[in-house]
mmCIF file of all heavy atoms in Angstrom:
data_model
loop_
_atom_site.group_PDB
_atom_site.id
_atom_site.type_symbol
_atom_site.label_atom_id
_atom_site.label_comp_id
_atom_site.label_asym_id
_atom_site.label_seq_id
_atom_site.Cartn_x
_atom_site.Cartn_y
_atom_site.Cartn_z
ATOM 1 N N SER A 405 144.646 227.369 349.281
ATOM 2 C CA SER A 405 145.991 226.854 349.571
ATOM 3 C C SER A 405 146.910 227.924 350.162
ATOM 4 O O SER A 405 147.927 227.598 350.782
ATOM 5 C CB SER A 405 146.612 226.294 348.298
ATOM 6 O OG SER A 405 146.694 227.305 347.296
ATOM 7 N N GLU A 406 146.582 229.201 349.961
ATOM 8 C CA GLU A 406 147.417 230.256 350.515
ATOM 9 C C GLU A 406 147.286 230.277 352.039
ATOM 10 O O GLU A 406 146.227 229.985 352.587
ATOM 11 C CB GLU A 406 147.025 231.618 349.934
ATOM 12 C CG GLU A 406 147.303 231.789 348.454
ATOM 13 C CD GLU A 406 146.202 231.213 347.576
ATOM 14 O OE1 GLU A 406 145.176 230.746 348.124
ATOM 15 O OE2 GLU A 406 146.370 231.226 346.339
ATOM 16 N N PRO A 407 148.355 230.643 352.742
ATOM 17 C CA PRO A 407 148.345 230.534 354.218
ATOM 18 C C PRO A 407 147.355 231.458 354.907
ATOM 19 O O PRO A 407 146.987 231.200 356.058
ATOM 20 C CB PRO A 407 149.791 230.887 354.613
ATOM 21 C CG PRO A 407 150.353 231.631 353.440
ATOM 22 C CD PRO A 407 149.686 231.060 352.227
ATOM 23 N N ASP A 408 146.927 232.537 354.238
ATOM 24 C CA ASP A 408 145.995 233.459 354.890
ATOM 25 C C ASP A 408 144.536 233.148 354.595
ATOM 26 O O ASP A 408 143.641 233.880 355.038
ATOM 27 C CB ASP A 408 146.310 234.914 354.501
ATOM 28 C CG ASP A 408 146.213 235.166 353.010
ATOM 29 O OD1 ASP A 408 146.330 234.197 352.234
ATOM 30 O OD2 ASP A 408 146.030 236.332 352.599
ATOM 31 N N CYS A 409 144.253 232.079 353.870
ATOM 32 C CA CYS A 409 142.866 231.736 353.539
ATOM 33 C C CYS A 409 142.096 231.331 354.796
ATOM 34 O O CYS A 409 142.661 230.764 355.738
ATOM 35 C CB CYS A 409 142.822 230.590 352.533
ATOM 36 S SG CYS A 409 143.163 231.102 350.830
ATOM 37 N N PRO A 410 140.803 231.626 354.839
ATOM 38 C CA PRO A 410 139.993 231.214 355.990
ATOM 39 C C PRO A 410 140.037 229.715 356.215
ATOM 40 O O PRO A 410 140.059 228.930 355.255
ATOM 41 C CB PRO A 410 138.583 231.671 355.610
ATOM 42 C CG PRO A 410 138.778 232.761 354.611
ATOM 43 C CD PRO A 410 140.009 232.380 353.846
ATOM 44 N N ALA A 411 140.044 229.326 357.484
ATOM 45 C CA ALA A 411 140.032 227.914 357.852
ATOM 46 C C ALA A 411 138.622 227.517 358.268
ATOM 47 O O ALA A 411 137.971 228.233 359.041
ATOM 48 C CB ALA A 411 141.004 227.651 358.985
ATOM 49 N N LEU A 412 138.155 226.379 357.757
ATOM 50 C CA LEU A 412 136.835 225.871 358.134
ATOM 51 C C LEU A 412 136.899 225.325 359.560
ATOM 52 O O LEU A 412 137.648 224.398 359.852
ATOM 53 C CB LEU A 412 136.389 224.786 357.161
ATOM 54 C CG LEU A 412 134.992 224.199 357.396
ATOM 55 C CD1 LEU A 412 133.912 225.273 357.231
ATOM 56 C CD2 LEU A 412 134.722 223.035 356.427
ATOM 57 N N VAL A 413 136.086 225.909 360.448
ATOM 58 C CA VAL A 413 136.074 225.507 361.858
ATOM 59 C C VAL A 413 135.040 224.438 362.114
ATOM 60 O O VAL A 413 135.313 223.412 362.747
ATOM 61 C CB VAL A 413 135.796 226.724 362.768
ATOM 62 C CG1 VAL A 413 135.662 226.298 364.222
ATOM 63 C CG2 VAL A 413 136.892 227.765 362.622
ATOM 64 N N ASP A 414 133.822 224.647 361.616
ATOM 65 C CA ASP A 414 132.752 223.694 361.903
ATOM 66 C C ASP A 414 131.611 223.868 360.904
ATOM 67 O O ASP A 414 131.436 224.958 360.322
ATOM 68 C CB ASP A 414 132.212 223.899 363.321
ATOM 69 C CG ASP A 414 131.470 222.690 363.862
ATOM 70 O OD1 ASP A 414 131.528 221.620 363.229
ATOM 71 O OD2 ASP A 414 130.817 222.815 364.920
ATOM 72 N N VAL A 415 130.863 222.790 360.715
ATOM 73 C CA VAL A 415 129.674 222.786 359.864
ATOM 74 C C VAL A 415 128.539 222.131 360.649
ATOM 75 O O VAL A 415 128.707 221.034 361.177
ATOM 76 C CB VAL A 415 129.887 222.006 358.551
ATOM 77 C CG1 VAL A 415 128.635 222.070 357.686
ATOM 78 C CG2 VAL A 415 131.086 222.525 357.788
ATOM 79 N N LEU A 416 127.405 222.808 360.744
ATOM 80 C CA LEU A 416 126.239 222.251 361.428
ATOM 81 C C LEU A 416 125.138 222.042 360.396
ATOM 82 O O LEU A 416 124.497 223.001 359.957
ATOM 83 C CB LEU A 416 125.749 223.205 362.530
ATOM 84 C CG LEU A 416 124.579 222.698 363.378
ATOM 85 C CD1 LEU A 416 125.013 221.493 364.223
ATOM 86 C CD2 LEU A 416 124.043 223.804 364.274
ATOM 87 N N PRO A 417 124.904 220.788 359.967
ATOM 88 C CA PRO A 417 123.803 220.538 359.029
ATOM 89 C C PRO A 417 122.451 220.844 359.678
ATOM 90 O O PRO A 417 122.245 220.603 360.872
ATOM 91 C CB PRO A 417 123.934 219.052 358.709
ATOM 92 C CG PRO A 417 125.348 218.687 359.070
ATOM 93 C CD PRO A 417 125.671 219.571 360.237
ATOM 94 N N ILE A 418 121.546 221.382 358.912
ATOM 95 C CA ILE A 418 120.196 221.727 359.376
ATOM 96 C C ILE A 418 119.196 220.825 358.660
ATOM 97 O O ILE A 418 119.164 220.782 357.427
ATOM 98 C CB ILE A 418 119.847 223.200 359.079
ATOM 99 C CG1 ILE A 418 120.911 224.140 359.672
ATOM 100 C CG2 ILE A 418 118.467 223.532 359.596
ATOM 101 C CD1 ILE A 418 120.920 224.237 361.164
ATOM 102 N N GLN A 419 118.394 220.113 359.427
ATOM 103 C CA GLN A 419 117.413 219.211 358.841
ATOM 104 C C GLN A 419 116.171 219.995 358.416
ATOM 105 O O GLN A 419 115.519 220.634 359.225
ATOM 106 C CB GLN A 419 117.019 218.125 359.847
ATOM 107 C CG GLN A 419 118.169 217.241 360.286
ATOM 108 C CD GLN A 419 118.828 216.528 359.118
ATOM 109 O OE1 GLN A 419 118.154 215.974 358.245
ATOM 110 N NE2 GLN A 419 120.157 216.544 359.087
ATOM 111 N N ASP A 420 115.872 219.947 357.124
ATOM 112 C CA ASP A 420 114.698 220.615 356.584
ATOM 113 C C ASP A 420 114.355 219.931 355.275
ATOM 114 O O ASP A 420 115.097 220.034 354.296
ATOM 115 C CB ASP A 420 114.980 222.109 356.359
ATOM 116 C CG ASP A 420 113.747 222.889 355.949
ATOM 117 O OD1 ASP A 420 112.795 222.288 355.425
ATOM 118 O OD2 ASP A 420 113.733 224.119 356.130
ATOM 119 N N THR A 421 113.252 219.199 355.253
ATOM 120 C CA THR A 421 112.862 218.446 354.062
ATOM 121 C C THR A 421 112.018 219.270 353.098
ATOM 122 O O THR A 421 111.572 218.760 352.079
ATOM 123 C CB THR A 421 112.085 217.177 354.457
ATOM 124 O OG1 THR A 421 110.922 217.549 355.210
ATOM 125 C CG2 THR A 421 112.960 216.246 355.284
ATOM 126 N N SER A 422 111.788 220.542 353.413
ATOM 127 C CA SER A 422 111.023 221.408 352.522
ATOM 128 C C SER A 422 111.912 221.889 351.381
ATOM 129 O O SER A 422 113.066 221.477 351.230
ATOM 130 C CB SER A 422 110.470 222.605 353.300
ATOM 131 O OG SER A 422 111.496 223.550 353.527
ATOM 132 N N SER A 423 111.394 222.832 350.600
ATOM 133 C CA SER A 423 112.166 223.400 349.502
ATOM 134 C C SER A 423 113.206 224.392 349.988
ATOM 135 O O SER A 423 114.012 224.893 349.190
ATOM 136 C CB SER A 423 111.221 224.106 348.522
ATOM 137 O OG SER A 423 110.503 225.138 349.176
ATOM 138 N N GLY A 424 113.196 224.715 351.292
ATOM 139 C CA GLY A 424 114.110 225.720 351.818
ATOM 140 C C GLY A 424 114.986 225.208 352.931
ATOM 141 O O GLY A 424 115.135 224.001 353.139
ATOM 142 N N GLY A 425 115.566 226.138 353.670
ATOM 143 C CA GLY A 425 116.467 225.823 354.765
ATOM 144 C C GLY A 425 116.829 227.097 355.485
ATOM 145 O O GLY A 425 116.134 228.100 355.375
ATOM 146 N N PRO A 426 117.959 227.109 356.212
ATOM 147 C CA PRO A 426 118.319 228.307 356.993
ATOM 148 C C PRO A 426 118.757 229.461 356.086
ATOM 149 O O PRO A 426 119.727 229.348 355.348
ATOM 150 C CB PRO A 426 119.479 227.819 357.868
ATOM 151 C CG PRO A 426 120.077 226.678 357.092
ATOM 152 C CD PRO A 426 118.931 226.014 356.390
ATOM 153 N N HIS A 427 118.035 230.552 356.154
ATOM 154 C CA HIS A 427 118.345 231.711 355.326
ATOM 155 C C HIS A 427 118.914 232.862 356.141
ATOM 156 O O HIS A 427 119.842 233.527 355.709
ATOM 157 C CB HIS A 427 117.080 232.189 354.612
ATOM 158 C CG HIS A 427 117.206 233.544 353.984
ATOM 159 N ND1 HIS A 427 118.078 233.793 352.951
ATOM 160 C CD2 HIS A 427 116.601 234.735 354.256
ATOM 161 C CE1 HIS A 427 117.990 235.071 352.594
ATOM 162 N NE2 HIS A 427 117.120 235.662 353.374
ATOM 163 N N TRP A 428 118.366 233.100 357.338
ATOM 164 C CA TRP A 428 118.758 234.284 358.086
ATOM 165 C C TRP A 428 119.218 233.902 359.481
ATOM 166 O O TRP A 428 118.863 232.843 359.988
ATOM 167 C CB TRP A 428 117.606 235.283 358.165
ATOM 168 C CG TRP A 428 118.102 236.668 358.437
ATOM 169 C CD1 TRP A 428 117.923 237.413 359.578
ATOM 170 C CD2 TRP A 428 118.902 237.459 357.563
ATOM 171 N NE1 TRP A 428 118.567 238.622 359.434
ATOM 172 C CE2 TRP A 428 119.178 238.675 358.217
ATOM 173 C CE3 TRP A 428 119.427 237.247 356.275
ATOM 174 C CZ2 TRP A 428 119.941 239.691 357.633
ATOM 175 C CZ3 TRP A 428 120.185 238.247 355.697
ATOM 176 C CH2 TRP A 428 120.430 239.453 356.382
ATOM 177 N N GLY A 429 119.992 234.790 360.083
ATOM 178 C CA GLY A 429 120.477 234.521 361.418
ATOM 179 C C GLY A 429 120.860 235.801 362.132
ATOM 180 O O GLY A 429 120.828 236.897 361.553
ATOM 181 N N THR A 430 121.228 235.669 363.392
ATOM 182 C CA THR A 430 121.680 236.811 364.178
ATOM 183 C C THR A 430 122.556 236.326 365.322
ATOM 184 O O THR A 430 122.456 235.166 365.748
ATOM 185 C CB THR A 430 120.491 237.631 364.723
ATOM 186 O OG1 THR A 430 120.950 238.866 365.253
ATOM 187 C CG2 THR A 430 119.748 236.865 365.812
ATOM 188 N N LEU A 431 123.421 237.209 365.808
ATOM 189 C CA LEU A 431 124.315 236.914 366.933
ATOM 190 C C LEU A 431 123.691 237.370 368.245
ATOM 191 O O LEU A 431 123.019 238.400 368.293
ATOM 192 C CB LEU A 431 125.642 237.646 366.756
ATOM 193 C CG LEU A 431 126.426 237.490 365.466
ATOM 194 C CD1 LEU A 431 127.663 238.379 365.520
ATOM 195 C CD2 LEU A 431 126.836 236.047 365.248
ATOM 196 N N ASP A 432 123.965 236.632 369.297
ATOM 197 C CA ASP A 432 123.573 237.059 370.646
ATOM 198 C C ASP A 432 124.736 237.862 371.224
ATOM 199 O O ASP A 432 125.778 237.306 371.573
ATOM 200 C CB ASP A 432 123.277 235.834 371.509
ATOM 201 C CG ASP A 432 122.799 236.208 372.916
ATOM 202 O OD1 ASP A 432 122.709 237.419 373.206
ATOM 203 O OD2 ASP A 432 122.531 235.295 373.709
ATOM 204 N N ASN A 433 124.544 239.166 371.346
ATOM 205 C CA ASN A 433 125.606 240.053 371.823
ATOM 206 C C ASN A 433 125.407 240.483 373.270
ATOM 207 O O ASN A 433 125.872 241.542 373.679
ATOM 208 C CB ASN A 433 125.699 241.302 370.923
ATOM 209 C CG ASN A 433 124.382 242.066 370.820
ATOM 210 O OD1 ASN A 433 123.334 241.462 370.638
ATOM 211 N ND2 ASN A 433 124.426 243.384 370.903
ATOM 212 N N PHE A 434 124.721 239.619 374.053
ATOM 213 C CA PHE A 434 124.465 239.937 375.453
ATOM 214 C C PHE A 434 124.934 238.798 376.360
ATOM 215 O O PHE A 434 124.889 237.624 375.983
ATOM 216 C CB PHE A 434 122.978 240.199 375.698
ATOM 217 C CG PHE A 434 122.443 241.328 374.873
ATOM 218 C CD1 PHE A 434 121.664 241.080 373.746
ATOM 219 C CD2 PHE A 434 122.748 242.641 375.192
ATOM 220 C CE1 PHE A 434 121.193 242.119 372.975
ATOM 221 C CE2 PHE A 434 122.268 243.687 374.427
ATOM 222 C CZ PHE A 434 121.492 243.432 373.306
ATOM 223 N N ALA A 435 125.375 239.177 377.570
ATOM 224 C CA ALA A 435 125.766 238.186 378.574
ATOM 225 C C ALA A 435 125.290 238.707 379.934
ATOM 226 O O ALA A 435 125.327 239.914 380.209
ATOM 227 C CB ALA A 435 127.275 237.979 378.578
ATOM 228 N N LEU A 436 124.865 237.775 380.785
ATOM 229 C CA LEU A 436 124.405 238.126 382.124
ATOM 230 C C LEU A 436 125.608 238.322 383.030
ATOM 231 O O LEU A 436 126.456 237.440 383.144
ATOM 232 C CB LEU A 436 123.489 237.025 382.658
ATOM 233 C CG LEU A 436 122.719 237.338 383.947
ATOM 234 C CD1 LEU A 436 121.754 238.505 383.726
ATOM 235 C CD2 LEU A 436 121.956 236.099 384.414
ATOM 236 N N GLY A 437 125.676 239.511 383.654
ATOM 237 C CA GLY A 437 126.814 239.823 384.507
ATOM 238 C C GLY A 437 126.609 239.404 385.947
ATOM 239 O O GLY A 437 125.509 238.997 386.370
ATOM 240 N N ALA A 438 127.670 239.501 386.729
ATOM 241 C CA ALA A 438 127.614 239.138 388.154
ATOM 242 C C ALA A 438 126.676 240.060 388.931
ATOM 243 O O ALA A 438 126.203 239.700 390.016
ATOM 244 C CB ALA A 438 129.017 239.201 388.756
#
């Protein structure tokens, strides 16, 4: 409720019927230049 609290932007559900789901991830820090 405090004004500086993080705001939820988006949630992407991941379909996985096993005992697990998404555990790890990484960012793409590259872009193709002109």
Side-chain angles (χ1 to χ4, degrees):
S405 59
E406 293 83 4
D408 60 337
C409 282
L412 183 63
V413 175
D414 200 10
V415 182
L416 183 67
I418 305 289
Q419 298 301 315
D420 187 337
T421 58
S422 77
S423 59
H427 167 65
W428 202 248
T430 192
L431 307 177
D432 183 0
N433 56 315
F434 301 104
L436 190 63

